[in-house]
Amino acid sequence: MLVRVSLAAGLALAACPAVAQQIYDIWATTWDRSKLFTYTNLSPNPINFVSPGAIGQADITIEENTLAQTMDGFGATLTDSSALILNNLKNQNSNNYWSILNTLFDPTDGANAAGFSYLRVALGASDFSAQKYNFNNVAGDNSMTNFNINKAPSYLFSVINDIRGINPYLKIHVLPWSPPGWMKDSGTMNGGNFISGYTSAYALYLLKCLQGFQSHGISVYAIGIQNEPENSNPTYPTCKISASQEAQIGSALRTLMNSNGFSGVRIIGYDHNWNDAAAYPVQLMNDASSAFAGVAFHCYAGNFTQQDSFHNAYPGKEVYFTECTGEYGSDWWSDIKWYMQNIFIGSVTHSSRSGLMWNLALDGNGNPKLPGTSSCGTPCRPVVQVNSDSSFAYQQEFYAMAQAGKAILPRDVNGPFGQRLHLTIGGARAQGLIATAFVTGRVNPSDWNRYSLVVLNWDDRPDGTWNPTPIQTTIEFRDMQATYTFPVGVTTLWWYAPSTSFDGAAGGQEEEGVPGSPAGEGEQRPFSTWVHADINGERQRPIELAFR
């Protein structure tokens, strides 16, 4: 549409200073814990994007030409044990309970919270349950007459709904650790192999799980066929299901879901280690591509770059990262580095839409666990440790995820999640940084997008001996340049810019009345403060004009 802009409006535009981007908002977690997911507002002295000069010790170039995956979120698994721990805390000290849930899950822009938005939930017992159970233990009941979702502990649904009340964007991903034992050659939920003759019955069982969650007011985002289908352990619920078997179950389940009001729920396959990414997940898609939205990976064997084997074979399918656990007794800073390198930056830069840890909450001994399980011989560490006296502590897993999560949350109520941007890192000390970038769109297209960087400076031994050293870094964006010195640790920062670049005008010092002037934490910086136009003699709301 052609719009005639009045001479007065044109003069007003000519008088405006150059439009700028500025960095006001920084979150940091440092190696020495002097900052722990600590927010800093740089007002009244923001970092300006200015005309490019010499590059810093490192130089990050943001590329906008090709957008990568949209993020679904970060989070953990709400095991039965996690739900029990949290529910007990709710009864003992409700203030602490709600403080934890709000800090973990509040997605409000600018809130002092991580905004976790992806929750994995076991269907039936796992190695972190009070006892073994499934939803239909009547052998041969292929029609699922005796199915009962309320075999799950009531506190599981209670805690899920409390979390949903805090985060309306919460995505819930459900999957079993084992089918009912009577569908397996072991005759028990512990270990064994799935019997193909129960394919239709198991697909119906999984449909009933979706309906059961729905009966508790819980909408499911995604469902899996089997957690770690290449693992059989006789001490806790596990099951081997081959790729061809999973493909058959997935196809049958997809048909049932489409016919029963669950066509929008994803089926996510595999959910096992990186090391087999080129085999099992690819065969799964070869056999039943139309049934599955994508696959999920765990960290216990292989490395994050192997996600590419699947992504390159099926670039149209989604990639998720859904499980890794820390163990008590490890080094705090070493863990932060590993998590960022391999999961919250590494896996994400290799196409993952999510990054999840294992147990959301446990006690200081990594309990409670399923009696007799051999898993977590060295106690598994949760995201948040809750003690018997109702005190609690956020672990390194929380800080790593919180830093990454802050970059992708919606800027507006019901707005989109961040979408990954490509970047390159150069300069003499480029090896000291690992980074990823995102752009978050807006509900109102005339509002400026948010651009975010998550940067790990892991250069704690630049000369081979312990010497944590900050790295002065230039950030290149739309032919403009900002400079920031990244401390050793994880830093998340963001700025705002129009969705379309301005040739010769997307930068420079900001002046009073120009977008970017601070008025508090997380403030949007739209055009609305500086451009008005008269169109056909009528005063218009502030508008965005892209100069080409």
Side-chain angles (χ1 to χ4, degrees), residues 141-144 182-183 194 197-206:
D141 182 14
N142 292 357
S143 62
M144 294 297 134
W182 53 272
M183 297 184 185
F194 180 72
Y198 290 110
T199 294
S200 296
Y202 189 37
L204 181 57
Y205 176 89
L206 294 172

Side-chain angles (χ1 to χ4, degrees), residues 43 159 272 406:
S43 175
V159 174
H272 210 168
K406 211 63 183 174

Side-chain angles (χ1 to χ4, degrees), residues 84-100 362-364 384-394:
L84 177 62
I85 285 279
L86 290 168
N87 191 67
N88 287 344
L89 178 63
K90 183 179 182 180
N91 293 330
Q92 295 164 4
N93 188 324
S94 62
N95 287 338
N96 283 5
Y97 172 78
W98 290 110
S99 175
I100 289 173
L362 294 172
D363 68 16
V384 57
Q385 175 183 315
V386 180
N387 304 312
S388 59
D389 63 357
S390 299
S391 63
F392 60 91
Y394 299 109

Side-chain angles (χ1 to χ4, degrees), residues 174-439:
V174 299
L175 77 167
W177 264 236
S178 172
W182 53 272
M183 297 184 185
K184 301 163 61 179
D185 61 7
S186 62
T188 172
M189 291 181 70
N190 290 3
N193 300 275
F194 180 72
I195 299 172
S196 294
Y198 290 110
T199 294
S200 296
Y202 189 37
L204 181 57
Y205 176 89
L206 294 172
L207 174 69
K208 293 285 188 179
C209 289
L210 292 175
Q211 293 171 332
F213 269 67
Q214 188 178 61
S215 72
H216 283 273
I218 299 168
S219 297
V220 169
Y221 173 76
I223 188 169
I225 307 299
Q226 170 64 43
N227 178 67
E228 299 188 344
E230 298 179 302
N231 179 32
S232 173
N233 187 307
T235 71
Y236 69 96
T238 51
C239 181
K240 282 192 174 181
I241 295 181
S242 69
S244 60
Q245 287 176 319
E246 183 164 319
Q248 292 167 3
I249 298 164
S251 294
L253 176 60
R254 181 78 272 165
T255 298
L256 288 173
M257 289 166 60
N258 290 349
S259 301
N260 287 275
F262 295 98
S263 59
V265 177
R266 289 162 163 78
I267 303 177
I268 298 175
Y270 187 50
D271 237 286
H272 210 168
N273 292 326
W274 285 317
N275 64 331
D276 207 21
Y280 191 117
V282 173
Q283 182 184 341
L284 188 61
M285 294 303 126
N286 289 344
D287 292 348
S289 177
S290 61
F292 291 85
V295 300
F297 293 98
H298 297 182
C299 75
Y300 307 115
N303 68 80
F304 63 92
T305 63
Q306 290 173 287
Q307 292 177 182
D308 292 346
S309 299
F310 174 78
H311 178 68
N312 292 338
Y314 282 93
K317 292 298 182 180
E318 297 170 348
V319 174
Y320 296 81
F321 182 89
T322 52
E323 188 182 313
C324 195
T325 190
E327 296 179 336
Y328 278 106
S330 59
D331 178 70
W332 190 90
W333 168 233
S334 295
D335 289 342
I336 293 282
K337 289 189 292 184
W338 195 94
Y339 290 142
M340 299 310 298
Q341 179 192 11
N342 291 276
I343 303 175
F344 306 118
I345 293 177
S347 178
V348 168
T349 57
H350 289 263
S351 306
S352 179
R353 301 166 65 96
S354 66
L356 276 66
M357 298 304 297
W358 181 205
N359 285 278
L360 182 67
L362 294 172
D363 68 16
N365 297 310
N367 288 321
K369 294 195 296 184
L370 182 72
T373 181
S374 65
S375 69
C376 291
T378 301
C380 284
R381 186 177 53 238
V383 176
V384 57
Q385 175 183 315
V386 180
N387 304 312
S388 59
D389 63 357
S390 299
S391 63
F392 60 91
Y394 299 109
Q395 304 289 1
Q396 46 264 56
E397 291 77 12
F398 167 80
Y399 293 106
M401 276 196 292
Q403 288 287 156
K406 211 63 183 174
I408 67 166
L409 290 171
R411 172 59 182 84
D412 304 314
V413 174
N414 296 322
F417 275 69
Q419 190 167 6
R420 186 171 66 86
L421 298 169
H422 295 277
L423 58 78
T424 57
I425 304 177
R429 294 186 61 192
Q431 77 288 343
L433 300 183
I434 300 172
T436 189
F438 305 92
V439 58

